[in-house]
Amino acid sequence: TYIGSLLVSVNPYQELDIYTVTQMQLYRGVNFFELPPHLYAIADNAYRVMCNEYNNHFILISGESGAGKTEASKKILQYYAVTCPTTEQLQTVRDRLLLSNPVLEAFGNAKTLRNDNSSRFGKYMDIQFDFKGAPVGGHILSYLIEKSRVVHQNHGERNFHIFYQLLEGGDKDLLCWLGLERNPQKYTYLIQ
């Protein structure tokens, strides 16, 4: 639902058919309150106001663990990737922003009691647009908010995903060179 120009959404913990290209086209360029509340309406409204007023705008995504903040940011990036003007160079920039997210998640996400893929880092994403409204660059600043997870996890939780992925997927020579063993149960930090 909307509260003024704020969107209040709830994580349904399942894939819904509301984030499709058809939905993107439905919300593109439409009056903000003309259609039911949607993340794409927020993204489109911020984009159109930025283009019309030649002014910086932001979308703030906030919520508790498991609320869907990371998924919402991905959906907004996908919306801009599909609906904004494009060139081959711009497609490269978009791909880098969209494809960098899983890498960042591997280094900064962990299993918690409430969420198997909980972001344990803060993220600031900045997308830069040219005067025509085409994205021309961007960057993502990430910062760990839970460094203590490296040396201590609560019962039922896990360390950052990347360590388990390295143990599982790293070839034998790499693990040997890093002084690692494949079995995560061999590490005191992981089994306290």
Side-chain angles (χ1 to χ4, degrees):
T1 187
Y2 289 128
I3 300 174
S5 62
L6 300 178
L7 174 68
V8 178
S9 62
V10 177
N11 186 350
Y13 296 101
Q14 62 183 335
E15 282 294 323
L16 298 177
D17 198 28
I18 61 172
Y19 295 109
T20 64
V21 173
T22 303
Q23 289 291 110
M24 290 179 189
Q25 298 305 333
L26 182 68
Y27 280 88
R28 185 177 183 188
V30 175
N31 187 317
F32 189 61
F33 294 105
E34 198 170 313
L35 293 172
H38 199 288
L39 195 55
Y40 292 158
I42 294 289
D44 186 72
N45 187 61
Y47 176 77
R48 285 188 300 118
V49 170
M50 176 198 71
C51 290
N52 292 337
E53 296 179 0
Y54 299 105
N55 205 345
N56 294 329
H57 282 271
F58 70 93
I59 298 172
L60 177 66
I61 302 171
S62 179
E64 64 180 31
S65 179
K69 299 177 296 294
T70 301
E71 283 301 310
S73 66
K74 285 192 247 183
K75 298 302 183 196
I76 289 171
L77 285 175
Q78 290 168 349
Y79 178 81
Y80 290 142
V82 169
T83 60
C84 291
T86 187
T87 66
E88 191 173 322
Q89 181 184 9
L90 293 177
Q91 192 59 46
T92 302
V93 171
R94 291 178 188 164
D95 290 346
R96 285 181 183 164
L97 279 171
L98 289 171
L99 295 174
S100 68
N101 217 40
V103 175
L104 292 172
E105 288 181 8
F107 279 93
N109 287 18
K111 180 184 186 304
T112 65
L113 293 176
R114 299 186 66 186
N115 185 347
D116 285 348
N117 194 33
S118 181
S119 298
R120 309 318 302 151
F121 61 97
K123 185 179 352 179
Y124 173 81
M125 289 189 285
D126 183 4
I127 305 170
Q128 291 126 16
F129 297 87
D130 68 9
F131 69 97
K132 297 177 192 169
V136 293
H139 64 279
I140 300 173
L141 299 174
S142 298
Y143 48 93
L144 281 179
I145 56 175
E146 201 176 78
K147 294 176 185 170
S148 63
R149 180 167 293 277
V150 172
V151 295
H152 176 77
Q153 304 85 45
N154 292 326
H155 181 73
E157 296 189 350
R158 289 185 8 155
N159 207 316
F160 296 105
H161 294 327
I162 191 66
F163 188 70
Y164 301 97
Q165 292 169 342
L166 176 63
L167 295 182
E168 180 69 27
D171 66 28
K172 187 177 176 183
D173 291 338
L174 175 63
L175 294 179
C176 183
W177 182 73
L178 293 171
L180 298 174
E181 296 182 39
R182 198 165 299 279
N183 183 355
Q185 296 301 310
K186 300 267 185 180
Y187 298 93
T188 304
Y189 281 143
L190 302 180
I191 60 171
Q192 301 178 49

